[in-house]
Amino acid sequence: MDPRTAATFRVLETFQMLSFTSKISAFEYYCSLARRTDNTGVSVPPDHYHAFLRAIRKWRHVWLLKRMGCGHSDTGVTGTAEGELAVACPACPIPDVNLPADWKSCPEKDQWLDLLFLSIDANFRLKRLNVSNDQCDPGLNHGYAYVVENTKFKKYLDEFNSKIPDDKSTCNNHDAIKSATMSTWTTSSYPWGRNLRSRCDVYPPNALSSHDITFLVPKFHLPAHISQCQIDYSFNLVPGVGRTDGEAAEHGWSAANAVTASTKEMGPGSHHDTLDDHFVLRAQQDRQGGGTPPAVQDLELFLPSHIVGTVACDKRFLRYKFDLRIFQADATLDEIRSSLLLRSHMYKLKDRLVRGQRQNTRSNVLLGRVEDRVKVASDRYNKIQRALTALLALLLEFDWSQKFRVLEPADVTGLTSLDDDGSEEPMPHSVSNGVKRARAHRWQEECLLLQEEMRHVITYFSWQAKKWRRQAEGHADKVLTSSRTDARLVAADAAAASIVREGKVAYVYQQAAIRDSIKNHCIKM
């Protein structure tokens, strides 16, 4: 080997984080480095763009293996199993990790607390262009993380794709199903859960054929289906799910779709490796949440209404502040009324004109924005009302206390009664009571489910910290050997191996400390 180009770890790590947070492409980052070197165009540095691409590709792969502890395994990289590098969900029930030893014998009435929720959703935005092939651009991860090994997957489809017939959907004319059916490698039918048992027998032995599964449609996707599907597959009407929305995959897509611009022209191997890296970083960020510094808009300002009773304040300032708050309260209430009227009008147009998944999705997005405006305005009004209440006693303006009251969630309603799905069609009294009762039960379940999931999380990170520390014990017991005969070379090998072992042990304790800090943060919540 005769390397002539090198990149520091800091340069590669900076690009990795920038590509994850701001979705910057490698070309844009490299051009920025070149501009930092010479921004006049007089002494343009040599073009090492392709060398940088190879370096960052290897960096992502090696760093992924390191984060998951493959460097501490006796089998090394070659012993890495498919899917082993994917970040596990700490809130999900995992036997022998975060479930009690006697979880199988718990009372039947409590077994729903340890049910596993699985979400399946297709993504048509992260597709790539027809660039390169598996021979010219093979992946380095080989299915170790989220994306399965491409060659095996295509062979699998070649073998089983023709054994499952394409069923026509009995539900609405979904764009997702039409796109999937036209695809070379994908077949889809809805609801595919009704034939799952019989179709599992066509495939090799798998876990799905031996478990009891309840099929539901995620809440965001449900309004695009026919009325019967909205009853049979609703999370709101099924016991034991709490307030789960089933959109876990969709939440991940919203963060990952932005990398499409920088990945669509990659070959299959680099495309899959890059997505694996983004998915792992995203999962680690989600589970290591907390510790974020407060945003500027959340910092408390010590305004006159906030320091009443603690700091002396000129009454003129209190009067100015009071008049301002009166105007703000009136304006905010007008904004809430306008948004509620707009929401009712949009629901009517949606029920009358909107058909199909694409149109329903776009209308739900617009309705969600209006809902956010109502919530933000309601929260702002209540802050204004609290400030007014603090000023009323000092200014003896008690008449205003009856006009500007606390705005409760039940007070923020439009002209019609709306259910969770946005339907304005009147329901029979008995059906309405049944829906309300089901909602109340789901909220009760959510309280219990949240406590159980938090226990899962704390136990999971405690287990992970112990697992990392056991790696340190393994390094301490390992005997350093050398195949050389020269005493000086043996001593040099021993010194080098000792330094490597110290580095591995330090990294192990660093990872264990990270897990302990996350666990302690969850305990304080």
Side-chain angles (χ1 to χ4, degrees), residues 9-10 12 36 40 128 162 180 186 305 334 368 467 502:
F9 282 7
R10 180 60 61 87
L12 298 173
R36 285 291 305 273
T40 64
R128 66 179 187 88
S162 59
T186 309
S305 56
D334 286 341
K467 181 181 177 181
E502 289 180 4

Side-chain angles (χ1 to χ4, degrees), residues 86-94 98 116-117 146 283 287 456-457 460-461:
V87 179
C89 170
C92 293
I94 307 175
N98 58 8
L116 178 64
F117 292 90
Y146 292 90
R287 77 177 194 177
H456 287 170
V457 171
Y460 176 84
F461 284 114

Side-chain angles (χ1 to χ4, degrees), residues 160-173:
F160 294 102
N161 195 37
S162 59
K163 296 183 178 181
I164 303 297
D166 287 344
D167 293 340
K168 292 185 178 180
S169 173
T170 58
C171 191
N172 282 350
N173 187 23

Side-chain angles (χ1 to χ4, degrees), residues 81-148:
E82 293 184 354
E84 185 179 344
L85 304 187
V87 179
C89 170
C92 293
I94 307 175
D96 302 325
V97 175
N98 58 8
L99 286 179
D102 59 344
W103 65 274
K104 291 185 178 180
S105 59
C106 70
E108 185 176 353
K109 64 181 182 64
D110 296 330
Q111 290 181 359
W112 65 273
L113 290 170
D114 292 324
L115 292 178
L116 178 64
F117 292 90
L118 296 177
S119 177
I120 301 175
D121 187 41
N123 188 316
F124 298 104
R125 293 191 180 183
L126 283 177
K127 58 188 178 183
R128 66 179 187 88
L129 302 179
N130 188 18
V131 178
S132 190
N133 52 55
D134 294 319
Q135 288 72 33
C136 297
D137 185 26
L140 299 178
N141 288 347
H142 304 297
Y144 294 159
Y146 292 90
V147 182
V148 298

Side-chain angles (χ1 to χ4, degrees), residues 41-61:
V42 177
S43 301
V44 179
D47 185 6
H48 296 298
Y49 173 62
H50 293 287
F52 176 75
L53 290 180
R54 290 191 292 270
I56 192 61
R57 177 94 177 271
K58 294 179 180 178
W59 165 268
R60 291 185 191 275
H61 177 64

